Amino acid sequence: MLVAGNWKMFKGPSETVAFFDAFDPPLGVDVVVCPPYVSLARAVGRGVTVYAQNVHWDAEGAYTGEISARMLVELGVEGAIVGHSERRQYFGETDETVARRAEAALDAGLGVIACVGETDDERASGRTEEVLRRQVAVLPRHERLVIAYEPVWAIGTGRTATPAIAQEAHALIKSLHRAPVLYGGSVKPDNAVELMAQTDVDGALVGGASLDPESFRAICVAALV
Ligand code: 13P
């Protein structure tokens, strides 16, 4: 089981230090924390695997605001999220750029958590399978690639997918790709056990509930049940 915390645009360097001072991860579960870029250096070396929230496809170049895989490796960061729905929604991320970011990160020796998931409209109009097939098709086949199924309608809304909905989507993704599949979208300490008990759920990608060391620990413990 893998439990990853995506902090999004929360916690600068000092709050990051405070988190790690208070965070006591359980043994027996792979834990990843994904702080903002400016906080990565403070997170590395605290006994937990650190991933970035994005990564560029080129090693260097004129790409204002971007960070390369090589830079992350130099810092001791071990991987990156790519294709989060917030990047797709607000920053023009496409299936093609997600694939390029994933490939570059894997080539540089990083792990990758690649996010896929349908919007509310896509689910309502019966296009969930088509969307997942399209998003998964571009992802590289690689032993360090993990997929996160994050239905967009469940992110930050408290509207968690039911365990049955998650299981159905995970089974589809696993029929298309060999990677482990994490569930993300309003994962909390009180629903984590049930979600991670599903046959094809291999862990969780946690947003809001990963910001508090106690609730994130509780979700990590839920992965052991
Ligand atoms: P929430 O857990 O806050 O719904 O966020 C999920 C997510 O987007 C993780 O990447």
Side-chain angles (χ1 to χ4, degrees), residues 154-198:
I155 294 177
T157 59
R159 268 179 71 198
T160 322
T162 62
I165 287 179
Q167 169 56 29
E168 187 185 18
H170 282 231
L172 169 68
I173 293 166
K174 288 200 162 196
S175 74
L176 304 170
H177 201 297
R178 267 235 210 106
V181 184
L182 313 180
Y183 170 77
S186 297
V187 177
K188 308 290 175 202
D190 61 2
N191 60 26
V193 169
E194 204 185 3
L195 286 161
M196 285 191 273
Q198 303 304 305

Side-chain angles (χ1 to χ4, degrees), residues 4-6 8 81 84-86 115 150 154-158 184-188 205-210:
N6 173 13
K8 310 192 177 184
I81 296 172
H84 192 278
S85 63
E86 287 150 14
C115 302
E150 298 207 311
I155 294 177
T157 59
S186 297
V187 177
K188 308 290 175 202
L205 180 55
V206 185
S210 71

Side-chain angles (χ1 to χ4, degrees), residues 18-132:
F19 175 91
F20 282 102
D21 286 347
F23 182 55
D24 180 23
L27 294 175
V29 51
D30 292 327
V31 179
V32 171
V33 173
C34 312
Y37 286 128
V38 295
S39 301
L40 290 171
R42 299 290 182 91
V44 168
R46 299 298 307 257
V48 173
T49 303
V50 177
Y51 276 27
Q53 296 173 17
N54 196 11
V55 58
H56 196 261
W57 51 84
D58 266 356
E60 58 185 8
Y63 300 107
T64 303
E66 293 283 331
I67 299 285
S68 75
R70 191 197 281 176
M71 293 169 182
L72 295 175
V73 170
E74 182 181 343
L75 207 57
V77 172
E78 293 180 58
I81 296 172
V82 300
H84 192 278
S85 63
E86 287 150 14
R87 304 251 14 125
R88 295 178 191 256
Q89 271 183 295
Y90 308 132
F91 301 101
E93 200 76 66
T94 64
D95 293 333
E96 194 211 329
T97 56
V98 172
R100 291 178 75 186
R101 291 179 195 278
E103 272 157 27
L106 293 164
D107 282 351
L110 294 173
V112 166
I113 298 174
C115 302
V116 301
E118 79 286 1
T119 64
D120 218 356
D121 278 358
E122 288 162 346
R123 177 163 284 271
S125 57
R127 284 182 290 141
T128 298
E129 178 169 342
E130 170 200 323
V131 169
L132 293 178

